[in-house]
Amino acid sequence: MSIQDMEVVYQKPDAMTDVPFPYCPGCSHGTVHRLVAEVMDELDITERAIGVTSAGCSVRSWRQFDCDMVMALHGRGPAVATGIKRARPVSVVFTYQGDGDMAAIGTGEIVHAASRCERITVIYVNNGVFGATGGQQAPTTLIGQPTTSYPAGRDPKESGYPLRMAEMLSVISAESYIARASVHDVAHILKTKKAIRKAFEIQIDGRGFGMVEILAACPTNWRLSPVRCMERIQSEMIPYYPLGEFSSRGKEGRS
């Protein structure tokens, strides 16, 4: 069989550029990028999509998506996305943020965007550390998890408890689709894609605010192999951050 006779069954999404991924080996951002791009292709929204990048590792996403991209100040992605969406209602506007960006300096921005039920889509990648600045403790770092700023592990008596953003936002956002998913294995990657699609669809239909929290790995700052990172998401992160869809009344459907 010649190469001309072969059937293409898997290829790069059209919504992605040809720029190589800049992330560390085993980082989950590449997987999430691809899922977002696949959904953009399937919904045929790339030409009218506008992405807003955060500060941190995910700021590099502006080179990965083949759509208009805007860079926001640290944590201000939801505010910038709100302005763009209100100025250009026909656009499909999304933010791509990490936990160090959205759950730390950007907490106020995301809370108020959700409370106003802004017609935007938020892709929120939670790997439990500040990845770009050396692996310091983030608002999402698990109890006992060691970081460069707290080598002995997070102590709630000193720095409180990890923020469950999906649960918190679901309580205040009456018109919303809010979910938590993971990319630690193939089955969960497929579920994550479905959640991302729903978060875009609720915006496209004008029905409300959409946010998908995605549990992700940071092998460099966790100081674990990529395989061990996937195991850690399953054994340590999911018990504290249960997966599922969360309603506006705070009830969750876990998977």
Side-chain angles (χ1 to χ4, degrees):
M1 178 182 290
S2 67
I3 191 170
Q4 290 83 6
D5 297 326
M6 293 182 180
E7 179 184 359
V8 176
V9 296
Y10 200 64
Q11 62 184 352
K12 177 182 72 66
D14 292 335
M16 294 194 73
T17 68
D18 292 326
V19 176
F21 284 130
Y23 305 108
C24 300
C27 174
S28 297
H29 277 302
T31 302
V32 180
H33 283 7
R34 182 182 177 93
L35 296 179
V36 173
E38 286 180 354
V39 169
M40 290 170 65
D41 282 356
E42 292 171 7
L43 296 176
D44 194 23
I45 58 174
T46 307
E47 291 298 318
R48 61 189 180 111
I50 301 176
V52 182
T53 70
S54 67
C57 293
S58 59
V59 71
R60 299 170 178 86
S61 62
W62 74 271
R63 302 183 68 206
Q64 308 301 319
F65 296 113
D66 195 17
C67 64
D68 289 331
M69 299 292 293
V70 177
M71 188 177 297
L73 294 175
H74 198 177
R76 310 307 181 217
V80 173
T82 294
I84 295 172
K85 184 66 177 182
R86 293 195 178 200
R88 294 182 55 85
V90 297
S91 296
V92 179
V93 184
F94 69 96
T95 71
Y96 189 102
Q97 301 177 258
D99 52 310
D101 177 81
M102 197 182 93
I105 194 171
T107 311
E109 306 293 344
I110 191 62
V111 165
H112 289 288
S115 72
R116 296 190 304 266
C117 298
E118 296 291 347
R119 271 52 177 172
I120 62 174
T121 300
V122 176
I123 307 300
Y124 163 51
V125 182
N126 176 5
N127 60 20
V129 293
F130 282 96
T133 55
Q136 297 91 343
Q137 179 174 289
T140 51
T141 301
L142 295 174
I143 300 300
Q145 179 180 339
T147 57
T148 54
S149 53
Y150 285 86
R154 182 171 190 162
D155 183 349
K157 294 179 180 178
E158 293 185 358
S159 50
Y161 290 85
L163 290 181
R164 294 184 173 105
M165 296 300 292
E167 288 89 336
M168 181 174 71
L169 296 181
S170 69
V171 173
I172 64 173
S173 188
E175 301 166 16
S176 63
Y177 172 77
I178 295 176
R180 182 183 291 122
S182 175
V183 290
H184 70 280
D185 61 26
V186 173
H188 286 87
I189 288 172
L190 296 176
K191 290 182 180 180
T192 299
K193 181 179 176 180
K194 291 180 180 178
I196 291 172
R197 183 181 177 110
K198 288 182 180 179
F200 274 107
E201 287 174 337
I202 192 172
Q203 176 187 172
I204 293 168
D205 296 340
R207 290 183 285 125
F209 172 83
M211 193 274 281
V212 181
E213 176 178 349
I214 302 168
L215 302 185
C218 182
T220 297
N221 290 302
W222 288 3
R223 291 170 171 77
L224 297 172
S225 70
V227 172
R228 178 68 185 93
C229 284
M230 299 300 106
E231 295 170 350
R232 183 175 179 272
I233 292 174
Q234 175 70 49
S235 63
E236 298 180 36
M237 292 190 77
I238 292 177
Y240 189 86
Y241 295 113
L243 309 182
E245 297 179 342
F246 297 76
S247 77
S248 61
R249 294 184 176 85
K251 297 177 182 178
E252 61 234 37
R254 299 177 183 175
S255 60

